[in-house]
Amino acid sequence: MSGLSFDLIALQLFTGLALGAIYVLFAIGLSLIFGMLTVVNFAHGAFYMVGAYAGLFLVSMGGNFWICLVAVPLLVGTFGMIVERFLVRPLYGRGIDYPLLLTFGLSYIMVELIRIAFGTSGYPFDTPELLQGAVDIGVGYFPLYRLFVIGATAVVLIGLWLFLERTSFGLIIRAGARDPQIVRVLGVDVSKVWLIVFGIGTAIAGFAGLLAAPLQGVIPEMGATILAEAFVVTVVGGMGSIGGAVLAGLLVGVVVSMSSLFAPEMAKVSIFALMAIVLLIRPQGFFGRAGLMS
Amino acid sequence: MTEDNKSTSKRVSRRRVLATAGIGALAAASPFRINLAMAQEPAIKIGFPVPLTGPYGTEAQDQVRAAEVAIAEFNESGGFNGRKAELLVRDDKLNPGEAATRTLELVEKEKVNFVVGSLSAAVQLAINNVTKERGVIFNSISQSDTINEASDFSKFTFHEALNPHMTAGAVGRYAFPKFGKKVAFLTADYAYGHEMVRGFQEAGKAFGIETVTDVRHPIGTTDFSALLPRIQALKPDILCISNFGRDQQIALKQATDFGMKKSIKIIAPILLYTGRVAAGAQAFDGVVGGTSYYWGIEDKVASAKAFNDRFRKMHGGKVPSDYGALGYGGVKTLLMGARAAGSLDADKVIAAVEALKYDYYKGPQYYRKCDHQSVQSVFIIESKATPQKGDADVFNVISTDEPNEANLRTCETLGHKS
């Protein structure tokens, strides 16, 4: 293979991290909801798509991208909480497949509603002016916006970590995930905790969709592809583990990027090969707790 | 009269045939001949399978709009001895199996006289398989090289669209001497992409181009970023992106984001009007490509002006897209062929269409005898940075590759006996 240099490999690695950043954001929401609520949220891709459309709508109403960065997670998170309160909550304690089927159906309804409201053909989403163009990162030119995506992901991760580890509410969430019964006995309203967890998870999905919009445009089906890949991420990282989702998300991004460099036709298969290898060695994934699904 | 009875006899009961034949014989001798015939004859049916749903839905819907224009014009100008034409639109879902089923239904149940349509290299071959077996004329309005070849061609097969050899050839002949010899390809991994790359490379032989890499990607790729740094590192003069629909929009946007346009000229075999309108000016800015039709030629081509005006009138001021216009051309050539033949009998219509020298919407065209490929111009266009005359003003026509059989593969190469 000619033209293979250190710079190219470094640049490719960076590309992989930027790709992985979106996977990470998507998968932590998925993992958070699964780890705390044992709900496999099949509508997560639809929330991601709604985030992109919410951004599109706000921009068309005269808002700008920076306002969207705050407003979109709030909107999508609120919507997520409504879904949890009225649709998911009645199904707690009925086994894992009830909310799975519910969210699966919900995702179809959401996509179809967006098609009715915005049409089937999709829209472009301009990169905010401040973040257009490419910058020299020492090893070559790299799109400024993708650097921003990596940075924004890091900020969300740090914020989430501080929230869960350093606040008393975070403590309740973690305790609620481990043993909801005891937490309830201690006088905590667990259903409120779950409402907020579902809200946070879907808010991050909406945020990820907004970040992805300037990279690839906005279409009603954009959530479906990433959902399949994000399940690979959560399985590799360990179902329900946020740390695992972060590590696996970045790893999947880098694996896609590196296999694209050496064998582009293998790029799509490579993440599933990665999943197979990880499952053979560690069936519960990197940081997964065994028996969570049973 | 007897001719028409023969061509319709398959779709009616024996009793009906006898009755019609009797009336026909009577009518032939009667002064009320024409009136009777008009009351008797059903509409000329044209089956129109296109991918209304799926990634090329926008383009397919425009094909339908343009075909409706051709039908309306034909009916207003008297139809076929008073018989009206009728369009039967079906959704082929961009799936060869679905297309074959829909086409079979159109032929068997609806008894269509002609089939026009498709928007995919593979789907048109599936339709063609059905129509050539049933002896129904099919005019394909989507790009393909294979459909010209002896193995897939039949006398019932016409190809109104350009083929990749002509399109890529025209763009290559324009771009290689201007922008450089080192060429990188980024290609959708299916027939369309493969045929385009072959077309570029064949045209490039004369200019001594060097292929530095040919990266293939699957249809429906949403992120090209992992493929771009390597292409950039090879420092090509030209990056040739051969993909379609949303893939094209995303690839161009991401190549722009990576700053590739600073040192590399990006070309594409086809720049889609609908794609450019959907993706915005930034992603397509400065990209050079080919097209079978751009509405802006109306300043120079009278038939384009007439077609655009009629289209605007029927469809709320919109202008037709490139693939849309093919829907118009594909339907119109067969209807005019039938009118010239004075018959709907397949062989007579085929002979009449072969003899057409037409200028319906883009300048002079004709079908080459051996493979029924429409010999026509290819427009080389460049995307404008900022539209001046409204949202539809997106391309500059920078060169025109005039109709010339020398730009087609020879009949012998395609396996036809000359």
Side-chain angles (χ1 to χ4, degrees):
Chain A
M1 173 153 283
S2 64
L4 203 60
S5 63
F6 170 76
D7 282 2
L8 178 58
I9 292 177
L11 195 59
Q12 201 74 29
L13 200 66
F14 233 80
T15 309
L17 290 180
L19 272 181
I22 299 280
Y23 288 134
V24 168
L25 279 181
F26 192 92
I28 50 171
L30 204 57
S31 242
L32 195 66
I33 292 171
F34 181 76
M36 308 286 170
L37 280 59
T38 15
V39 168
V40 182
N41 184 15
F42 260 90
H44 213 64
F47 283 105
Y48 166 89
M49 178 271 299
V50 167
Y53 272 94
L56 191 74
F57 181 71
L58 289 176
V59 168
S60 76
M61 297 299 284
N64 67 34
F65 185 74
W66 310 102
I67 295 171
C68 291
L69 283 179
V70 180
V72 165
L74 286 178
L75 281 173
V76 179
T78 310
F79 176 51
M81 289 202 273
I82 294 170
V83 168
E84 196 276 348
R85 176 64 189 81
F86 295 103
L87 297 174
V88 180
R89 188 173 294 181
L91 302 178
Y92 288 141
R94 286 207 195 204
I96 200 161
D97 38 354
Y98 283 78
L100 189 151
L101 288 174
L102 173 93
T103 52
F104 187 71
L106 182 67
S107 72
Y108 274 86
I109 293 171
M110 286 163 73
V111 169
E112 211 53 52
L113 286 177
I114 287 288
R115 281 187 186 142
I116 291 167
F118 291 88
T120 54
S121 54
Y123 293 88
F125 196 109
D126 283 335
T127 313
E129 218 157 300
L130 212 60
L131 299 174
Q132 281 175 10
V135 284
D136 194 349
I137 54 167
V139 290
Y141 281 92
F142 196 75
L144 191 56
Y145 184 75
R146 282 179 196 257
L147 286 180
F148 171 77
V149 168
I150 297 176
T153 305
V155 168
V156 168
L157 287 180
I158 292 168
L160 189 67
W161 183 78
L162 288 176
F163 175 71
L164 288 178
E165 299 290 328
R166 291 285 183 270
T167 64
S168 51
F169 196 81
L171 188 69
I172 295 171
I173 291 179
R174 282 180 293 139
R178 198 159 294 178
D179 197 335
Q181 198 100 45
I182 295 288
V183 175
R184 202 174 284 138
V185 168
L186 291 172
V188 177
D189 182 359
V190 180
S191 58
K192 198 158 77 190
V193 175
W194 288 350
L195 179 75
I196 287 169
V197 168
F198 201 87
I200 293 173
T202 48
I204 299 175
F207 185 72
L210 175 67
L211 284 185
L215 294 175
Q216 45 178 258
V218 177
I219 52 165
E221 298 80 20
M222 65 190 287
T225 346
I226 191 165
L227 186 69
E229 287 157 353
F231 272 117
V232 173
V233 172
T234 44
V235 167
V236 168
M239 292 293 284
S241 161
I242 293 173
V246 175
L247 183 67
L250 294 177
L251 186 66
V252 163
V254 171
V255 164
V256 168
S257 175
M258 283 302 164
S259 55
S260 299
L261 182 58
F262 296 106
E265 60 278 5
M266 304 295 279
K268 264 220 153 120
V269 184
S270 65
I271 62 170
F272 295 100
L274 172 76
M275 178 168 79
I277 292 168
V278 170
L279 287 183
L280 280 174
I281 299 167
R282 264 187 84 80
Q284 72 273 41
F286 290 152
F287 304 120
R289 282 170 286 163
L292 202 60
M293 290 289 278
S294 49
Chain B
M1 212 46 227
T2 38
E3 206 52 65
D4 283 336
N5 281 337
K6 209 188 279 172
S7 71
T8 53
S9 62
K10 268 177 271 171
R11 66 178 114 118
V12 285
S13 71
R14 192 168 147 269
R15 183 183 294 237
R16 177 86 196 283
V17 172
L18 289 173
T20 320
I23 294 168
L26 248 173
S30 137
F32 306 112
R33 201 174 93 126
I34 293 161
N35 286 341
L36 249 177
M38 272 174 68
Q40 197 65 27
E41 298 291 354
I44 300 175
K45 289 181 171 180
I46 299 179
F48 202 74
V50 286
L52 294 172
T53 52
Y56 307 160
T58 320
E59 288 80 12
Q61 281 157 19
D62 209 52
Q63 290 181 320
V64 174
R65 282 194 281 269
E68 285 168 351
V69 173
I71 299 278
E73 281 181 359
F74 180 77
N75 289 343
E76 283 161 24
S77 61
F80 176 76
N81 296 333
R83 284 176 68 179
K84 303 269 188 209
E86 185 190 345
L87 196 67
L88 284 81
V89 180
R90 294 291 182 273
D91 185 6
D92 69 30
K93 298 183 180 158
L94 204 61
N95 176 324
E98 182 79 20
T101 313
R102 293 283 90 82
T103 307
L104 202 58
E105 273 174 21
L106 284 167
V107 171
E108 294 289 319
K109 263 173 70 187
E110 300 289 350
K111 311 286 181 195
V112 293
N113 301 86
F114 310 122
V115 176
V116 179
S118 81
L119 183 46
S120 146
V123 170
Q124 67 186 285
L125 297 178
I127 296 174
N128 186 46
N129 269 336
V130 174
T131 50
K132 76 179 187 187
E133 202 171 83
R134 310 274 153 167
V136 175
I137 297 174
F138 168 48
N139 200 351
S140 165
I141 53 175
S142 169
Q143 294 240 357
S144 167
D145 275 333
T146 313
I147 200 160
N148 295 144
E149 290 165 13
S151 49
D152 276 85
F153 175 79
S154 77
K155 65 176 183 179
F156 303 103
T157 310
F158 286 83
H159 196 234
E160 170 65 22
L162 291 169
N163 63 38
H165 184 85
M166 294 163 77
T167 317
V171 176
R173 282 189 295 275
Y174 177 84
F176 297 142
K178 276 202 176 55
F179 307 126
K181 292 191 172 62
K182 280 174 75 180
V183 185
F185 290 95
L186 176 61
T187 311
D189 200 4
Y190 73 115
Y192 172 88
H194 302 167
E195 290 184 350
M196 286 298 179
V197 170
R198 192 180 63 192
F200 276 114
Q201 288 174 335
E202 276 172 26
K205 278 182 198 152
F207 303 99
I209 66 157
E210 176 202 351
T211 301
V212 294
T213 184
D214 180 5
V215 180
R216 303 281 166 103
H217 71 80
I219 303 183
T221 297
T222 52
D223 203 297
F224 294 86
S225 64
L227 306 171
L228 299 177
R230 175 162 169 73
I231 292 173
Q232 213 161 8
L234 291 165
K235 298 194 180 2
D237 301 314
I238 295 174
L239 169 60
C240 178
I241 301 182
S242 303
N243 50 19
F244 202 84
R246 274 188 56 76
D247 288 0
Q248 181 182 58
Q249 297 167 29
I250 297 174
L252 289 177
K253 166 133 179 70
Q254 295 180 349
T256 308
D257 288 348
F258 268 80
M260 296 180 85
K261 284 175 181 167
K262 279 184 212 135
S263 53
I264 303 168
K265 187 72 185 177
I266 299 180
I267 65 173
I270 298 177
L271 281 181
L272 286 170
Y273 171 80
T274 39
R276 160 60 189 80
V277 169
Q282 201 191 14
F284 278 67
D285 182 20
V287 179
V288 167
T291 188
S292 58
Y293 184 73
Y294 175 58
W295 69 272
I297 61 169
E298 66 181 8
D299 297 342
K300 296 198 182 95
V301 183
S303 57
K305 174 85 178 127
F307 168 53
N308 290 342
D309 284 345
R310 187 63 214 259
F311 191 97
R312 286 188 185 104
K313 209 174 113 196
M314 269 181 81
H315 299 295
K318 279 187 177 179
V319 289
S321 68
D322 31 36
Y323 272 82
L326 287 168
Y328 176 79
V331 169
K332 182 141 181 169
T333 46
L334 297 190
L335 287 175
M336 298 312 267
R339 195 181 267 173
S343 162
L344 291 174
D345 174 69
D347 283 323
K348 292 195 173 156
V349 175
I350 289 167
V353 176
E354 282 176 346
L356 283 179
K357 300 274 181 209
Y358 59 103
D359 176 0
Y360 294 150
Y361 73 103
K362 61 173 287 189
Q365 287 177 265
Y366 65 94
Y367 290 102
R368 179 165 74 170
K369 181 98 167 102
C370 74
D371 60 355
H372 291 170
Q373 170 61 43
S374 171
V375 182
Q376 57 186 301
S377 53
V378 183
F379 301 101
I380 310 296
I381 52 178
E382 183 169 33
S383 188
K384 287 187 180 185
T386 43
Q388 285 114 28
K389 295 182 276 178
D391 288 345
D393 179 32
V394 294
F395 297 129
N396 277 321
V397 178
I398 50 179
S399 170
T400 304
D401 206 53
E402 297 295 343
N404 183 353
E405 271 192 40
N407 295 336
L408 276 63
R409 290 185 293 168
T410 62
C411 294
E412 291 75 38
T413 317
L414 298 170
H416 299 289
K417 281 166 255 143
S418 51

